[in-house]
Amino acid sequence: MIVEKKICENSGHGRFFMNLKELSDIPKFPYFRGLVLDDKPLFDKLFSIYPPMISEFTFTNLFIWRDFYKIKISLIDNFLCILSDREKDPFFFPPIGEGDLKKCIQDLFEYLKGRNTLASIQRADERVVSKVEFNGSGINVTPERDQFDYVYLVDDLIKLNGRRYHRKRNHIVRFKENFNFQYTSMTTDLIEECLSLQTHWCNLKHCELDQGLMNESLAIKEALLNYEKLSIRGGVILIDGEVEAFSLGEPLNPDTVVIHIEKANPLFEGIYSVINQAFLEHEWNKYKFVNREQDMGIEGLRKAKESYFPDHMVKKYKICLIFN
């Protein structure tokens, strides 16, 4: 059972971290509260101090998926802790902060044990795993392949040079020959058209029959409806003046941009190749890498992501207490 309570005092450790005024509204562990839009300044500051590698760690991603993951937050000393409080499989994301990480994880495990559920930290990157010695501690660390992030060189996806991108270039050439299109940066007056496209896409794909697609659609609509407040950047493809594709992204760390959303009318062949290239070329060409998130074990999505030849993968791990 989650108990809500405001934090009334700081631990005194990690002076800069603890002096962030936004922390005054975060409950002290084991109390939690839900994630709200007003938490964005706090998360932005923390991610600037501790630049993330995993695609989950932007405020936008956590916020638009907060209802799916049932996100709750709490504070343990110098760590902000993020709980996915789903009834069947609650887990913690990696703690954000500095200090005794192993003790923090042990505290989180004890909390989940007290709820008679599997005690786990999920989406942990290699930096988290390497900071704590788990051997012989009753803790198991396993890779979550379906959650690995695909990371590409931005320059590769803009230029599409070489034989391996021959098919992608052909898609774009045919698209340009067949359609009167225009790329433009996202503006607020295009939001309604993007929402309409998302509804149209869902109708074509029968989202009502697939809970995963319904969850994705809700997240996309959250991003669009809060576009300005989330400070994300978008781009659209117009065909004969109508929005037929859009993409949303933001910086993940100083050299990497993350693409949260890419959606297009599948009736226009090649349009995904076009929005992929154009969005990076016009909005993100100063970045070295682009993180295009995970494939979630979906065969078609994995094939599509692999077809762009990632530079590397961001591996993620599940850290579990073996004996509850």
Side-chain angles (χ1 to χ4, degrees):
M1 191 72 179
I2 297 295
V3 182
E4 296 187 6
K5 181 180 178 182
K6 295 282 185 73
I7 183 171
C8 59
E9 60 180 354
N10 290 335
S11 67
H13 302 294
R15 185 173 301 173
F16 181 74
F17 182 98
M18 298 306 295
N19 283 342
L20 292 177
K21 64 180 181 179
E22 293 86 358
L23 288 172
S24 63
D25 191 44
I26 307 299
K28 195 170 183 178
F29 187 80
Y31 301 100
F32 293 80
R33 69 161 172 80
L35 188 70
V36 296
L37 195 56
D38 287 344
D39 290 322
K40 178 174 167 53
L42 168 63
F43 277 79
D44 288 349
K45 287 181 181 179
L46 292 181
F47 288 142
S48 70
I49 300 168
Y50 309 103
M53 298 299 294
I54 64 172
S55 60
E56 288 87 351
F57 271 7
T58 68
F59 178 77
T60 296
N61 201 310
L62 293 167
F63 180 78
I64 67 177
W65 288 97
R66 70 192 186 285
D67 289 336
F68 172 74
Y69 283 111
K70 308 299 181 187
I71 296 290
K72 302 287 195 307
I73 56 177
S74 183
L75 194 64
I76 297 180
D77 294 328
N78 268 358
F79 292 98
L80 180 68
C81 301
I82 304 170
L83 171 66
S84 171
D85 196 33
R86 293 185 296 187
E87 183 177 353
K88 292 184 178 180
D89 58 342
F91 67 88
F92 282 97
F93 289 92
I96 305 168
E98 59 187 25
D100 191 340
L101 180 60
K102 187 172 183 179
K103 180 182 182 302
C104 179
I105 289 176
Q106 288 172 338
D107 288 344
L108 300 181
F109 281 169
E110 287 299 318
Y111 172 82
L112 290 174
K113 279 176 59 181
R115 295 177 57 178
N116 296 314
T117 188
L118 176 68
S120 71
I121 308 291
Q122 299 185 28
R123 314 297 197 270
D125 64 24
E126 291 180 317
R127 296 179 305 179
V128 174
V129 173
S130 68
K131 287 180 180 178
V132 182
E133 179 56 60
F134 293 111
N135 293 336
S137 62
I139 291 175
N140 188 39
V141 181
T142 56
E144 296 184 281
R145 172 59 183 87
D146 293 349
Q147 301 299 332
F148 286 9
D149 286 336
Y150 291 75
V151 181
Y152 311 81
L153 290 168
V154 169
D155 199 53
D156 281 354
L157 299 198
I158 292 175
K159 295 179 179 178
L160 299 174
N161 288 332
R163 293 181 60 185
R164 64 181 184 173
Y165 290 117
H166 176 72
R167 183 174 296 181
K168 303 296 183 186
R169 293 197 304 273
N170 282 347
H171 287 163
I172 293 172
V173 168
R174 287 198 299 269
F175 183 88
K176 290 180 177 179
E177 291 173 346
N178 292 331
F179 304 109
N180 176 27
F181 84 99
Q182 173 190 1
Y183 173 86
T184 185
S185 298
M186 179 78 79
T187 55
T188 54
D189 59 328
L190 293 170
I191 297 296
E192 284 300 324
E193 290 188 63
C194 292
L195 288 166
S196 295
L197 174 58
Q198 174 58 29
T199 298
H200 175 63
W201 189 93
C202 259
N203 290 338
L204 290 173
K205 300 294 184 178
H206 301 289
C207 288
E208 72 278 3
L209 303 178
D210 187 318
Q211 190 59 50
L213 293 181
M214 285 297 296
N215 292 331
E216 179 196 53
S217 185
L218 290 172
I220 290 172
K221 290 178 179 179
E222 282 277 18
L224 290 169
L225 291 171
N226 293 283
Y227 178 77
E228 287 187 294
K229 293 178 180 178
L230 291 172
S231 301
I232 50 181
R233 193 183 303 178
V236 304
I237 297 294
L238 303 171
I239 299 178
D240 297 326
E242 300 290 331
V243 172
E244 300 294 356
F246 64 91
S247 189
L248 302 174
E250 65 180 318
L252 179 64
N253 57 53
D255 64 0
T256 306
V257 59
V258 58
I259 306 301
H260 293 306
I261 294 163
E262 187 178 86
K263 196 62 64 177
N265 187 339
L267 300 179
F268 296 95
E269 185 177 357
I271 194 168
Y272 275 103
S273 296
V274 172
I275 186 64
N276 184 332
Q277 181 194 52
F279 189 44
L280 292 175
E281 181 179 7
H282 290 277
E283 312 295 340
W284 306 110
N285 59 72
K286 303 299 184 184
Y287 285 80
K288 183 176 182 179
F289 297 110
V290 53
N291 183 317
R292 292 185 57 81
E293 300 189 344
Q294 59 275 81
D295 61 39
M296 298 170 290
I298 300 171
E299 183 178 354
L301 191 55
R302 179 167 296 185
K303 184 177 179 180
K305 290 181 182 291
E306 290 177 344
S307 73
Y308 275 98
F309 305 99
D311 178 75
H312 62 276
M313 310 287 284
V314 175
K315 296 179 180 180
K316 302 176 195 171
Y317 299 83
K318 179 187 289 188
I319 305 171
C320 292
L321 193 63
I322 298 175
F323 304 109
N324 275 345

